Amino acid sequence: MAEQTLNLPSLFLALAVLAISVRYFFFTPSSSSTQAASDRNTADPAHIEQIAQMFPQLSRRDIQWDLQRNGGSVQATTERVLSGRSLERPPPSFQPLQPPVSSSPSTSPPVRPRYKSSHPDLITRYNLKSRLSQPDITRQDEAEQPKTPAWSQNKAERQALLQKRREDMVLAARRKLEEREREKVGK
């Protein structure tokens, strides 16, 4: 009879089976660690609110499902929406956690504070209030004035010309806006 020997592949196979069985029996997750894993998968209500404010057309359930699937990454969800891909519909078995209801009953909708812009409107920024009240004489001025060269070699003249053009554009846009508002009111 031939002598039985243990060859190298069978030794590796036996060690792998032993390692898997030890891990299975001694390192199975307990109920507390499974609870912690499920807590990691729940989406933060602040993240849901943030995305819902950016994209009010999305349902909170869809947002929560996507956040839960991508590990709570607001950036990944935002990129998905901005790239034109819609969020996947959660399965019917998905029951999102509802945000805690406040104890004080409120029938009026929440009032969002208005944030003041750090930049004033263009009329204020460029100090054009005095020119706003004047009639639109820019077209008459252009016809009466002789044509000047389009671009001057003098830096101060170029700056003055560009500033005048900017002011004229701001005033023209303001007048168009006022005209549209008058048409809406007249309808």
Side-chain angles (χ1 to χ4, degrees), residues 42-62:
T42 60
D44 184 14
H47 292 165
I48 297 170
E49 182 66 27
Q50 181 182 11
I51 294 174
Q53 286 179 354
M54 286 190 284
F55 306 107
Q57 74 274 15
L58 299 175
S59 74
R60 291 183 182 279
R61 186 170 187 259
D62 293 349

Side-chain angles (χ1 to χ4, degrees), residues 88-107:
E88 290 182 13
R89 292 274 179 214
S93 62
F94 176 68
Q95 297 299 322
L97 296 175
Q98 298 298 325
V101 178
S102 62
S103 60
S104 63
S106 171
T107 58

Side-chain angles (χ1 to χ4, degrees), residues 116-129:
K116 281 202 163 190
S117 174
S118 60
H119 303 292
D121 63 6
L122 295 176
I123 301 294
T124 308
R125 183 187 295 177
Y126 298 128
N127 198 17
L128 299 174
K129 287 241 187 241

Side-chain angles (χ1 to χ4, degrees), residues 112-169:
R112 292 186 180 161
R114 290 191 72 188
Y115 297 106
K116 281 202 163 190
S117 174
S118 60
H119 303 292
D121 63 6
L122 295 176
I123 301 294
T124 308
R125 183 187 295 177
Y126 298 128
N127 198 17
L128 299 174
K129 287 241 187 241
S130 62
R131 288 191 56 194
L132 187 61
S133 60
Q134 296 174 352
D136 189 14
I137 56 173
T138 56
R139 292 189 184 120
Q140 295 171 358
D141 288 344
E142 290 175 0
E144 294 174 5
Q145 291 179 353
K147 292 288 180 184
T148 58
W151 200 252
S152 173
Q153 295 297 323
N154 186 353
K155 183 178 179 181
E157 289 178 11
R158 286 194 311 259
Q159 186 175 4
L161 178 66
L162 290 174
Q163 184 174 356
K164 183 180 179 332
R165 284 184 186 173
R166 178 183 61 201
E167 290 173 356
D168 289 343
M169 287 185 345

Side-chain angles (χ1 to χ4, degrees), residues 12 22 29 33-34 72 80 85 103 106 114 117 164-165 183:
F12 283 131
V22 166
S33 63
T34 352
R80 182 171 289 119
R85 296 179 289 165
S103 60
S106 171
R114 290 191 72 188
S117 174
K164 183 180 179 332
R165 284 184 186 173
E183 287 176 0

